[in-house]
């Protein structure tokens, strides 16, 4: 039987599950509903999660491709003490959350960016986030939030998910 690690917890995958999308597995089998299904076509970014520290669109990503790998979802960012990840807190502080539907995907995409580039400029953030759509807040506050998180993550801080 194959295995997958999601948010630090290892799960066994039955052969009949391997053909389902990663999004369906996360939402339907693990009840991790923070990851959203916006378009089912991989174009809106609401379903973004990290697989082996790389942002992917989980609605179009087969579970079989993530086997033996590590998946990080928005739920996995919460710290052991229950506090929010600096990116989550920055989205709140910058007013980058309105309806919240796109926010988990935005945060996971931003985390992928900050892993690659801890101090991105505004243009780099815009380019990295262009595949994630928001219909409510506009993108200015989202760019502000990613920059704020970048600054906070550069200072000594307790360990956070996805580091």
């Amino acid at each position: 039987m194959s295995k997958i690690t999601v948010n630090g917890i290892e799960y066994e995958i039955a052969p009949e599950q391997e053909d389902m999308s990663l999004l369906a597995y996360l939402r339907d089998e693990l009840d991790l509903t923070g990851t959203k299904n916006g378009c089912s076509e991989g174009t809106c970014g609401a379903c973004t999660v990290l697989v082996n520290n790389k942002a992917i669109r989980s609605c179009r990503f087969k579970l079989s491709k993530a086997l033996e790998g590590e998946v990080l979802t928005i739920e996995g960012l919460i710290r052991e003490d229950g506090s929010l990840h600096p990116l989550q807190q920055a989205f709140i502080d910058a007013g980058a959350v309105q309806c919240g539907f796109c926010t988990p995907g935005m945060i996971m995409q931003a985390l992928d960016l900050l892993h690659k580039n801890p101090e991105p400029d505004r243009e780099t953030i815009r380019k990295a986030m262009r595949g994630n759509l928001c219909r409510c807040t506009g993108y200015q506050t989202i760019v502000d939030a990613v920059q704020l998180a970048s600054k906070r993550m550069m200072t000594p801080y307790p360990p956070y998910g996805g580091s």
Side-chain angles (χ1 to χ4, degrees), residues 1-27:
M1 191 166 281
S2 300
K3 296 181 180 177
I4 187 171
T5 301
V6 179
N7 300 333
I9 301 171
E10 189 173 276
Y11 297 91
E12 291 187 348
I13 304 297
E16 60 272 15
Q17 293 176 301
E18 293 181 12
D19 199 40
M20 66 190 321
S21 73
L22 179 57
L23 177 64
Y25 178 74
L26 294 171
R27 291 183 59 86

Side-chain angles (χ1 to χ4, degrees), residues 29-116:
E29 302 294 326
L30 301 184
D31 201 28
L32 295 173
T33 57
T35 305
K36 306 300 184 204
N37 185 6
C39 67
S40 299
E41 297 176 356
T43 57
C44 75
C47 65
T48 303
V49 299
L50 300 188
V51 174
N52 297 325
N53 283 322
K54 182 178 179 193
I56 60 98
R57 305 292 198 242
S58 63
C59 70
R60 302 284 294 173
F61 196 86
K62 292 289 184 190
L63 181 59
S64 60
K65 294 169 73 176
L67 296 179
E68 311 308 326
E70 294 189 22
V71 177
L72 181 65
T73 71
I74 193 73
E75 292 90 346
L77 295 183
I78 300 291
R79 295 174 179 200
E80 288 182 21
D81 68 0
S83 65
L84 297 176
H85 184 280
L87 262 167
Q88 294 170 306
Q89 190 62 54
F91 268 66
I92 294 169
D93 294 345
V97 177
Q98 215 165 57
C99 85
F101 189 83
C102 70
T103 305
M106 291 277 186
I107 288 173
M108 299 311 290
Q109 186 66 48
L111 184 60
D112 179 67
L113 168 64
L114 295 177
H115 282 163
K116 296 173 187 168

Side-chain angles (χ1 to χ4, degrees), residues 89-161:
Q89 190 62 54
F91 268 66
I92 294 169
D93 294 345
V97 177
Q98 215 165 57
C99 85
F101 189 83
C102 70
T103 305
M106 291 277 186
I107 288 173
M108 299 311 290
Q109 186 66 48
L111 184 60
D112 179 67
L113 168 64
L114 295 177
H115 282 163
K116 296 173 187 168
N117 181 354
E119 296 182 86
D121 60 29
R122 297 183 75 77
E123 184 59 29
T124 301
I125 295 168
R126 283 188 194 94
K127 285 181 182 176
M129 304 300 290
R130 69 178 167 216
N132 290 72
L133 304 179
C134 174
R135 301 288 183 220
C136 301
T137 57
Y139 297 94
Q140 187 66 32
T141 56
I142 293 167
V143 173
D144 293 345
V146 176
Q147 278 204 310
L148 179 60
S150 169
K151 290 176 186 167
R152 289 178 177 171
M153 291 167 67
M154 296 298 288
T155 61
Y157 214 83
Y160 59 88

